[in-house]
Amino acid sequence: MEMTPAPKILLPRIGRYLPFGTLIRVSNQENGRTVVARITDRGPFVSGRIVDLSQIAARELDISGLMQVCLNIVPVPEKRKAEDN
């Protein structure tokens, strides 16, 4: 089976500004589908794009190719120490 490249998303490069592991909610503005993705690299490395999605995430959003999306950082509660309970 031949692998196709991951779809690219248009906007500024978010991977350069957020720490690795940050969760982002990516929403397809055309169909309302959303997916939560994790920042795993400093890409994309193409000017004018904000994020590269995995094939699985793109499939969940029903995206193929370039598309404008809405991104939101997903807040994650800090872990509390056992003595704080």
Side-chain angles (χ1 to χ4, degrees):
M1 183 167 116
E2 195 173 310
M3 297 296 287
T4 57
K8 310 297 183 193
I9 309 298
L10 292 172
L11 296 166
R13 301 177 191 183
I14 200 161
R16 292 187 175 189
Y17 304 104
L18 295 176
F20 290 140
T22 299
L23 298 177
I24 57 171
R25 179 173 290 107
V26 184
S27 302
N28 180 332
Q29 300 291 283
E30 291 183 7
N31 64 19
R33 291 183 180 191
T34 64
V35 67
V36 174
R38 184 179 308 275
I39 300 295
T40 59
D41 64 31
R42 290 290 171 227
F45 302 102
V46 176
S47 180
R49 296 182 184 169
I50 187 169
V51 67
D52 290 336
L53 291 179
S54 69
Q55 289 181 342
I56 293 170
R59 206 173 298 132
E60 289 288 322
L61 293 170
D62 195 25
I63 291 175
S64 61
L66 297 174
M67 171 143 326
Q68 288 192 0
V69 295
C70 180
L71 298 177
N72 296 74
I73 297 173
V74 177
V76 177
E78 291 186 34
K79 293 181 182 178
R80 295 188 337 184
K81 295 178 187 174
E83 62 267 11
D84 290 345
N85 290 329

